Amino acid sequence: MPKPGPRLRLVDVAERAGVSLATASRALAGREGVSEEVANRVRQVSQELGYVANPYARTLAGGASSTVGLVVHQVDDPYFSEIAGGVIQVAGEQGLLVQICHSGRDPDYELRQLRHLIAQRVGIILIAGSGYADPRVEAPARHELSAYQSLGGRVAVIGRHFLGVDAVLPDNTAGGRALGEHLLGLGHRRIAIASATGGLTTVLDRLAGVAEALQRHGLAIEDLPVVRTDFTRDGGRIAAEQILREHPDTTAIIALNDSMAIGVLSTLRAHRVGVPDRISVVGFNDVSVAADLAPSLTTVRLPMTDMGRMVLDLALKPRSKRPRRRSTGHALVVRDSTGPVPS
Amino acid sequence: MPKPGPRLRLVDVAERAGVSLATASRALAGREGVSEEVANRVRQVSQELGYVANPYARTLAGGASSTVGLVVHQVDDPYFSEIAGGVIQVAGEQGLLVQICHSGRDPDYELRQLRHLIAQRVGIILIAGSGYADPRVEAPARHELSAYQSLGGRVAVIGRHFLGVDAVLPDNTAGGRALGEHLLGLGHRRIAIASATGGLTTVLDRLAGVAEALQRHGLAIEDLPVVRTDFTRDGGRIAAEQILREHPDTTAIIALNDSMAIGVLSTLRAHRVGVPDRISVVGFNDVSVAADLAPSLTTVRLPMTDMGRMVLDLALKPRSKRPRRRSTGHALVVRDSTGPVPS
DNA sequence: CTGAAAGCGCTTACAG
DNA sequence: CTGAAAGCGCTTACAG
């Protein structure tokens, strides 16, 4: 493994500016106790020389760590890559670097990644993946992160976690309700749900929203087929196959995210089932390709890029007494994959 | 910005193992000059205590930097997010952390990111975006990187660059040829090309491949309409609109990547132009959604995830006298978006 | 407001 | 094979 080489140091800047190391350090850090005049001179010299502090030395000496660790389930899932895009934007504006790692939707692996990030002394940790419905699953991570925070680390998450930290909360329940209302409004009653494993709060919340909508129409979600696979296109395919097989009279399928919806559409196409003529399909998230599918996908839009920006913004604020919460808002986007129930 | 807190230090491990700091350091680094017995004891103690070296101290002291910087045009472009996925996999296996930054397809911005990465003293720099056809565009980056390498940094890239570094070369020309042959074999002659700006080597190489195929059939690419927009869905839409307007007799459209092809398909659908009945469409890359479009997309598959793995593998090897080159291979994937020329 | 000095936690010549 | 010591490039009390 290579090592970084010699470069311009702070002493060089200090010498050129005719001040001591300490003064140069204070001037560049923008700390108090340096006359405006001297501070300006130092900054100017630093500029001219193109000085950039060695982050290893700075951090070791007790200064700020300028890197943020971002944990996603999988970067090549568009939901996460859009979030990552938002995080990277803000980081770029702030001169921070973003380290991305995968959790692979596995709490143990995620814990290991967290520990690695902490051991690497990143200054900020962002978790973008869904929380787990069972608080015990997150207990080890919670402890790890609270120790990290008590040492000055900052943590913020996307989704409903049991981590006791600042959070950006996607409008999952309201979005689920909107989807349910939309389909019910079109007359659908035989609705099937392509869901991911029940262990995730994202899944529970979206389902809860759907259940609310059903309830208003005197229906119970318990009476609907809910097929649990996972949040991928393959998961959607498997779910659709099962729904077609076991519930052939289904007129609408709610996929709990767009990837699954894509898999559902693909399977329906393979079976020559017309969408939305025979079955309407909805997704969740509005990943950018959703508009370009055929038929284009009715879904709930979550502002993923903004969510990425928001979560880093939260972490950039000093820690508050009680965890902050920010809701994302959502929008039902009606496209061509839904239509009135076939008569 | 938070600072990392106190943690287990190497002295603690050394004390517990009853050896000096120096010996402990050598033992854990696996260097020579420590008896097997002592080394094992130190490693064991380190394990038990869960010691992880402070990377800032280690790097500052002249040790290895264990972070790799990855520059992509845009993480939320599936081509790049799949590559990033591969890089992150290998990094995870090696205990390395990956810092991702955007170049935004802007050479100046890219240069700034590169400088930032170098200033941050990452040990490895990976560039995933296309090279520029004009070597002068990359000259500043080339100088920056060669200084970086002479100080021990490692660099590897994906694509045809003028950077004098190890490279993974996507099979762009051969892929373009395959696409051309496929369409020509189906009888198409009035082929239009939805291309990105000519400044990128990726574009030139893919076009060169198409040109070769045409030539074998006695045709010249100069006689075909080549619309230059950019490598996005919107670029594809704009190109398709222009092609429909100015070359209404076109029977096949080659989009130079899948994102553009998605835009092309979307526009053709909006105009109720049958695919492939009236116009065949092909893309390039085979991003995962390509198989799920309607109609599913005929395209050239590039092993993006593997490319990510390969490029980091290259960088992990010691620098060689002359830059290494690895070709990726490709595969023509024929799906439903192409068919015989309409009679 | 400014500077000399200690210290952050490692690695690596330099002695032995 | 092993250890004492210097040094990496910063920041931050501590004096003045």
Side-chain angles (χ1 to χ4, degrees):
Chain A
M1 192 69 49
K3 41 175 113 177
R7 281 215 138 214
L8 206 58
R9 291 155 310 160
L10 185 53
V11 259
D12 303 321
V13 175
E15 252 172 38
R16 282 266 281 187
V19 298
S20 73
L21 230 194
T23 300
S25 173
R26 291 186 194 108
L28 293 183
R31 310 191 121 244
E32 313 232 294
V34 188
S35 71
E36 204 45 37
E37 186 198 331
V38 173
N40 282 332
R41 180 148 38 92
V42 174
R43 281 193 274 265
Q44 169 138 15
V45 170
S46 163
Q47 275 280 328
E48 287 171 8
L49 266 43
Y51 170 73
V52 181
N54 180 325
Y56 296 97
R58 176 193 297 231
T59 305
L60 182 60
S65 159
S66 60
T67 114
V68 2
L70 171 64
V71 185
V72 299
H73 282 340
Q74 189 81 27
V75 250
D76 45 341
D77 173 327
Y79 173 75
F80 291 110
S81 64
E82 290 189 31
I83 287 173
V87 171
I88 291 174
Q89 272 177 23
V90 175
E93 294 160 16
Q94 306 284 333
L96 302 173
L97 249 13
V98 178
Q99 299 191 332
I100 299 193
C101 47
H102 285 173
S103 70
R105 299 190 203 276
D106 170 350
D108 290 332
Y109 189 74
E110 176 160 355
L111 184 60
R112 287 220 299 284
Q113 296 299 318
L114 245 28
R115 291 204 172 113
H116 197 187
L117 248 17
I118 293 171
Q120 292 284 327
R121 275 75 171 177
V122 299
I124 291 176
I125 292 180
L126 267 21
I127 301 178
S130 170
Y132 291 88
D134 181 351
R136 285 170 301 181
V137 173
E138 293 190 334
R142 188 192 175 98
H143 293 141
E144 207 76 37
L145 290 175
S146 95
Y148 169 71
Q149 288 181 100
S150 68
L151 295 177
R154 288 286 294 130
V155 181
V157 301
I158 294 177
R160 192 159 64 78
H161 289 258
F162 295 94
L163 262 15
V165 299
D166 291 353
V168 171
L169 296 172
D171 244 359
N172 287 322
T173 305
R177 198 186 313 128
L179 246 22
E181 305 263 338
H182 172 63
L183 291 176
L184 290 162
L186 288 168
H188 294 278
R189 292 298 178 271
R190 292 195 296 277
I191 300 171
I193 300 178
S195 168
T197 48
L200 305 174
T201 54
T202 301
V203 170
L204 293 185
D205 294 346
R206 292 179 183 181
L207 283 176
V210 173
E212 283 178 27
L214 289 166
Q215 212 162 18
R216 294 190 194 176
H217 289 252
L219 299 173
I221 197 169
E222 289 72 21
D223 298 331
L224 302 186
V226 177
V227 180
R228 299 188 187 283
T229 59
D230 52 41
F231 265 158
T232 60
R233 292 193 313 281
D234 272 338
R237 283 195 194 95
I238 292 167
E241 293 284 358
Q242 185 174 337
I243 290 167
L244 288 178
R245 201 181 328 118
E246 300 178 3
H247 308 277
D249 56 349
T250 295
T251 66
I253 297 178
I254 298 179
L256 253 32
N257 79 358
D258 291 345
S259 293
M260 295 191 82
I262 292 173
V264 168
L265 287 176
S266 148
T267 294
L268 296 182
R269 196 181 318 124
H271 285 266
R272 311 212 178 295
V273 173
V275 176
D277 302 342
R278 236 204 72 204
I279 297 188
S280 285
V281 176
V282 300
F284 208 114
N285 290 344
D286 197 26
V287 299
S288 56
V289 80
D292 293 309
L293 297 169
S296 58
L297 186 67
T298 293
T299 187
V300 165
R301 172 175 303 162
L302 247 30
M304 278 90 79
T305 305
D306 277 347
M307 285 156 56
R309 302 186 58 99
M310 288 166 78
V311 73
L312 179 48
D313 280 342
L314 277 180
L316 251 14
K317 295 187 201 295
R319 196 176 176 193
S320 59
K321 255 135 264 151
R322 21 188 89 266
R324 299 182 186 84
R325 320 200 146 274
R326 296 262 184 290
S327 281
T328 60
H330 74 278
L332 175 69
V333 183
V334 178
R335 298 202 182 94
D336 301 335
S337 67
T338 49
V341 63
S343 45
Chain B
M1 192 69 50
K3 43 175 110 176
R7 284 214 136 214
L8 204 60
R9 292 155 310 160
L10 184 53
V11 259
D12 303 320
V13 175
E15 253 171 36
R16 282 266 281 187
V19 298
S20 73
L21 230 194
T23 299
S25 173
R26 290 185 195 110
L28 294 182
R31 309 192 123 244
E32 313 232 296
V34 190
S35 71
E36 205 44 38
E37 187 198 330
V38 173
N40 282 331
R41 179 147 39 92
V42 174
R43 281 193 275 265
Q44 170 140 12
V45 171
S46 162
Q47 273 281 327
E48 287 171 11
L49 267 43
Y51 169 73
V52 181
N54 179 326
Y56 296 97
R58 178 194 296 233
T59 305
L60 182 58
S65 159
S66 60
T67 113
V68 1
L70 171 64
V71 184
V72 299
H73 282 340
Q74 189 81 26
V75 251
D76 44 341
D77 174 326
Y79 173 75
F80 291 109
S81 64
E82 291 188 32
I83 288 173
V87 171
I88 290 175
Q89 273 178 21
V90 174
E93 295 161 15
Q94 306 283 332
L96 303 173
L97 250 13
V98 178
Q99 300 191 332
I100 299 192
C101 48
H102 285 171
S103 71
R105 299 191 203 276
D106 170 351
D108 289 333
Y109 188 75
E110 176 160 355
L111 185 60
R112 287 219 300 283
Q113 296 298 320
L114 245 29
R115 292 204 172 114
H116 196 187
L117 248 17
I118 293 171
Q120 292 285 326
R121 274 78 171 175
V122 300
I124 291 176
I125 293 180
L126 267 20
I127 301 178
S130 170
Y132 292 88
D134 180 351
R136 284 169 302 180
V137 173
E138 293 191 333
R142 186 190 176 99
H143 292 140
E144 207 76 37
L145 291 175
S146 96
Y148 169 71
Q149 289 181 100
S150 68
L151 296 176
R154 286 287 293 132
V155 181
V157 301
I158 294 177
R160 193 160 63 79
H161 290 259
F162 295 94
L163 261 17
V165 299
D166 290 354
V168 172
L169 296 172
D171 243 359
N172 288 323
T173 305
R177 199 186 312 129
L179 246 22
E181 305 260 335
H182 172 63
L183 291 175
L184 291 162
L186 289 168
H188 294 278
R189 292 299 178 271
R190 289 194 298 277
I191 301 172
I193 300 178
S195 167
T197 48
L200 305 174
T201 54
T202 301
V203 170
L204 293 185
D205 294 345
R206 292 179 183 182
L207 284 176
V210 174
E212 282 179 29
L214 289 165
Q215 213 163 16
R216 293 192 195 174
H217 289 252
L219 299 172
I221 197 168
E222 289 72 21
D223 299 329
L224 302 187
V226 177
V227 180
R228 299 190 185 280
T229 58
D230 53 41
F231 265 157
T232 60
R233 291 194 314 281
D234 272 339
R237 284 196 193 95
I238 293 168
E241 293 285 356
Q242 185 175 338
I243 290 168
L244 288 177
R245 198 179 334 115
E246 301 178 2
H247 307 276
D249 56 349
T250 294
T251 66
I253 297 177
I254 298 178
L256 253 32
N257 79 359
D258 290 345
S259 294
M260 296 192 81
I262 292 173
V264 169
L265 287 175
S266 150
T267 295
L268 295 183
R269 194 181 319 123
H271 285 266
R272 311 212 179 294
V273 174
V275 176
D277 303 343
R278 234 202 76 202
I279 296 187
S280 286
V281 176
V282 300
F284 207 114
N285 290 343
D286 197 27
V287 300
S288 55
V289 80
D292 293 308
L293 298 169
S296 58
L297 186 67
T298 293
T299 186
V300 165
R301 171 174 302 161
L302 248 29
M304 279 89 79
T305 305
D306 276 348
M307 284 156 57
R309 302 187 58 101
M310 287 165 79
V311 72
L312 179 47
D313 280 341
L314 277 180
L316 250 14
K317 294 186 201 296
R319 195 175 176 195
S320 60
K321 256 135 262 152
R322 21 188 89 265
R324 298 182 186 84
R325 321 200 145 271
R326 298 262 185 286
S327 281
T328 61
H330 74 279
L332 176 69
V333 184
V334 178
R335 298 203 183 93
D336 302 335
S337 67
T338 48
V341 63
S343 45

